[in-house]
Amino acid sequence: MGEGEDTRFKTTGSKWLLPVSELLGFHLDQVNFLACQLFALAAAFWFRLYLNPSHANPLVRHAVATLLGIVFLIFCFGWYSAHILTVVVGSYLIIINADMNNVHRYSMVTAMGYLTVCQVSRVFIYNYGVLSTDFSGPLMIVTQKITTLAFQLHDGMCKKSEQLSPGQKTLAINVRPSLIQYLSYNLNFLSILVGPCSNYKEYIDFIEGRHISRRLRQNSGTCNGHNGYDKTPEPSPNNAVCRKLLVCSGCMLFFLTVTRALPITYNVDPQFVNNAPFLTRLTYAFFSIQAARPKFYFAWTLSDAVHNAAGYGFLGMDANGKPSWDLICNINILRIETATSFKTFIDNWNIQTGIWLKTVCYDRAPRHRLALTFILSALWHGVYPGYYFTFITAIPITMAARAVRKSVRQHMLSSRGLKLGYDLFTWAATQLAICYTVMPFLLLAVESTLVYYRSMYFHVHIISILAVIALHQKHKPSELSATNKTCSSSSSSSSSPCPAQCQPIRSNNNNNKVD
């Protein structure tokens, strides 16, 4: 009883819900988080219906969104919220005072530096323990927003149009934001607790009432001010919100019935490791990792629903002419669970973080883009050793997956049966490899990670390295003669929106892999 149990009910935030926390057996900070998100959902409906841009001043909408966000911070984190407020205010001072030619650099160093100091303090002060009040999640999201805005402001005020890509040109900011706009963008109640990061111009469009109409125009070449989309009723987000809340309910039920029965730490339990057969350990590791995902599905999907309920997140009309509300969607559960490659998994996990890494680093680095993106992602996640075990382990696995796909896949497309068998095999291999790769991310400590990998006999490391060596030797003689054939395919790959290799890590606080 003692320490571990007492810690669950400690927090620097509000203790109003302590009786609920004790009754349910949940950590108090988790109860506070859930209460705030449910309140945010109700507030979002009210925000859309009663503070609609058609009859509410943008200044009022900014102020309400900001004040509610600050209240949530204080309720959940108490005095720890000062860290988040400090970095936001400090970054705004940089925005208004710094030379525009360097504002993106100063903002990146300030935000990432402050985040890193806080992450280091978590490791060395709390010695791998889980904080009773962990404020790092909101700080990580705010860091993304601060740096995203700074780079887009630099694009709009310091670069010529021809120097920007089409995407950068669309999102470039030409005027410094006012204080209330900056605070609202960073601290609004919709995203303050769990994100995701969105673009400043899209957020301002939402606050000022242009978000949906502008998206509708982008999807139509025939719009005009009289008989186009300006007079089309705005699509309602209610169906999207209900669908996402249904997903949240399923994830919560799964968490209560399955996740809590399969703790990750049991993978390194001495009795289990020493006595259970290898296949039993492998099976438990697989199912415990699968069971750990729904809590992230729940948090990100609920946040998406909150944004939609407020009228934010409209992407446009889909192929069937129905409204899509997935502009800032952070996860695609179906594609994750059916992923047959690392690329598919990563592309659909913590999507907005991957976009952030691409936006502020990969697309802008003059050279060593992959290495710099990898370093930024690693620093953003924190300094727990388990994170770096995951990053390093993912490298040979990714190389092996690409080599196998290049060598084998084309031979499996000749018949439906062969392709089905190949897809089933690659699904199982992908899920097992992801399980093996991300386990250190959840175990955090060096000792626990080494216990787990020794219990697995480092089999994925060994298989991946051998596969890379074998298939590299197989393809090496044909590389020169095939140069012309591969050149066009390489060019196509490098021009993709975000090449697989530029997405080494993606997560708010958790699972991340390399593709």
Side-chain angles (χ1 to χ4, degrees):
M1 215 128 164
E3 287 182 18
E5 186 155 344
D6 291 339
T7 303
R8 293 187 305 168
F9 307 115
K10 290 181 179 179
T11 181
T12 55
S14 171
K15 296 184 179 179
W16 291 352
L17 299 177
L18 181 59
V20 178
S21 175
E22 293 174 335
L23 178 65
L24 298 177
F26 287 175
H27 289 262
L28 180 54
D29 63 312
Q30 293 176 340
V31 173
N32 285 347
F33 165 79
L34 181 58
C36 282
Q37 284 298 85
L38 292 178
F39 186 85
L41 181 65
F45 280 110
W46 171 80
F47 194 79
R48 177 168 60 90
L49 297 175
Y50 295 98
L51 286 183
N52 191 282
S54 61
H55 52 260
N57 188 288
L59 180 61
V60 174
R61 283 167 59 84
H62 278 305
V64 170
T66 304
L67 290 174
L68 280 176
I70 293 173
V71 168
F72 287 175
L73 280 179
I74 295 172
F75 184 86
C76 287
F77 309 112
W79 67 269
Y80 278 152
S81 58
H83 288 293
I84 298 159
L85 299 175
T86 296
V87 75
V88 169
V89 173
S91 297
Y92 184 69
L93 293 177
I94 292 174
I95 290 290
I96 61 173
N97 292 311
D99 175 14
M100 275 295 121
N101 289 307
N102 294 304
V103 68
H104 55 309
R105 297 187 180 95
Y106 297 154
S107 296
M108 175 66 81
V109 170
T110 300
M112 284 300 303
Y114 198 94
L115 174 63
T116 301
V117 169
C118 291
Q119 299 280 32
V120 168
S121 71
R122 291 181 64 208
V123 173
F124 291 101
I125 294 176
Y126 294 94
N127 192 29
Y128 305 116
V130 177
L131 288 170
S132 58
T133 305
D134 180 10
F135 65 95
S136 64
L139 188 58
M140 292 164 78
I141 296 300
V142 162
T143 298
Q144 287 187 358
K145 289 186 175 184
I146 288 170
T147 52
T148 297
L149 189 153
F151 275 92
Q152 292 172 350
L153 189 62
H154 175 73
D155 287 344
M157 299 186 69
C158 296
K159 289 189 175 181
K160 296 179 180 178
S161 179
E162 56 269 21
Q163 294 178 293
L164 303 175
S165 70
Q168 291 171 345
K169 196 179 302 183
T170 300
L171 298 172
I173 304 168
N174 301 313
V175 180
R176 286 183 173 94
S178 66
L179 177 61
I180 188 63
Q181 288 174 328
Y182 193 81
L183 294 178
S184 177
Y185 171 65
N186 284 286
L187 301 174
N188 69 82
F189 75 97
L190 304 174
S191 62
I192 188 59
L193 294 183
V194 70
C197 175
S198 59
N199 292 301
Y200 174 79
K201 286 184 75 171
E202 291 171 343
Y203 178 76
I204 295 299
D205 283 347
F206 156 68
I207 289 292
E208 298 182 358
R210 300 185 298 268
H211 171 57
I212 294 177
S213 60
R214 181 164 290 181
R215 283 275 158 185
L216 288 171
R217 285 196 197 95
Q218 288 175 358
N219 288 326
S220 171
T222 60
C223 172
N224 59 62
H226 299 288
N227 54 14
Y229 282 117
D230 282 351
K231 296 204 171 184
T232 301
E234 291 189 352
S236 170
N238 291 340
N239 287 340
V241 173
C242 290
R243 185 175 66 253
K244 290 170 184 178
L245 291 179
L246 187 62
V247 171
C248 289
S249 300
C251 291
M252 177 60 76
L253 180 62
F254 189 95
F255 174 79
L256 294 174
T257 57
V258 179
T259 303
R260 299 181 85 187
L262 297 172
I264 290 293
T265 52
Y266 192 64
N267 285 285
V268 293
D269 179 83
Q271 187 173 354
F272 178 66
V273 170
N274 294 329
N275 299 325
F278 172 74
L279 287 180
T280 301
R281 299 196 303 271
L282 182 65
T283 301
Y284 184 84
F286 174 80
F287 283 108
S288 62
I289 287 291
Q290 297 290 116
R293 293 177 194 166
K295 64 181 178 181
F296 305 117
Y297 295 167
F298 172 84
W300 287 333
T301 304
L302 180 56
S303 177
D304 198 13
V306 169
H307 282 80
N308 293 167
Y312 189 26
F314 181 69
L315 179 60
M317 309 305 286
D318 64 18
N320 298 318
K322 296 181 180 180
S324 170
W325 288 85
D326 293 332
L327 176 67
I328 52 175
C329 179
N330 220 16
I331 200 156
N332 189 316
I333 297 174
L334 181 61
R335 290 183 181 175
I336 285 172
E337 296 297 340
T338 59
T340 58
S341 69
F342 261 46
K343 179 180 181 347
T344 302
F345 189 99
I346 293 174
D347 284 349
N348 294 283
W349 177 273
N350 202 357
I351 298 167
Q352 301 305 320
T353 294
I355 293 173
W356 171 70
L357 289 170
K358 178 179 184 293
T359 299
V360 304
C361 186
Y362 190 86
D363 285 349
R364 300 174 186 274
R367 51 187 175 274
H368 309 304
R369 295 191 296 174
L370 176 58
L372 291 173
T373 304
F374 184 93
I375 292 169
L376 174 61
S377 184
L379 288 173
W380 181 77
H381 280 88
V383 293
Y384 283 118
Y387 297 167
Y388 295 87
F389 274 100
T390 290
F391 303 151
I392 294 169
T393 299
I395 295 173
I397 295 175
T398 300
M399 294 173 65
R402 289 177 183 165
V404 170
R405 182 178 178 86
K406 182 178 179 181
S407 302
V408 177
R409 188 173 185 274
Q410 66 269 26
H411 303 298
M412 298 294 168
L413 303 178
S414 56
S415 73
R416 182 176 298 179
L418 278 175
K419 185 178 185 304
L420 177 61
Y422 176 78
D423 287 342
L424 289 173
F425 175 80
T426 52
W427 172 83
T430 296
Q431 299 298 331
L432 286 170
I434 286 169
C435 163
Y436 183 91
T437 306
V438 305
M439 187 67 76
F441 220 106
L442 302 179
L443 294 174
L444 299 179
V446 173
E447 297 83 0
S448 299
T449 296
L450 292 178
V451 167
Y452 171 72
Y453 277 153
R454 280 197 295 264
S455 76
M456 294 287 109
Y457 307 117
F458 295 91
H459 71 282
V460 176
H461 284 94
I462 295 169
I463 292 171
S464 299
I465 293 170
L466 291 177
V468 170
I469 293 172
L471 294 174
H472 174 73
Q473 293 300 324
K474 176 182 176 182
H475 286 286
K476 195 171 182 180
S478 62
E479 280 181 0
L480 290 176
S481 61
T483 300
N484 292 334
K485 292 182 181 179
T486 58
C487 186
S488 60
S489 116
S490 298
S491 174
S492 172
S493 171
S494 64
S495 63
S496 61
C498 188
Q501 63 266 35
C502 86
Q503 303 176 25
I505 358 285
R506 306 232 232 131
S507 179
N508 276 351
N509 284 319
N510 302 286
N511 308 27
N512 243 315
K513 292 111 341 220
V514 182
D515 183 48

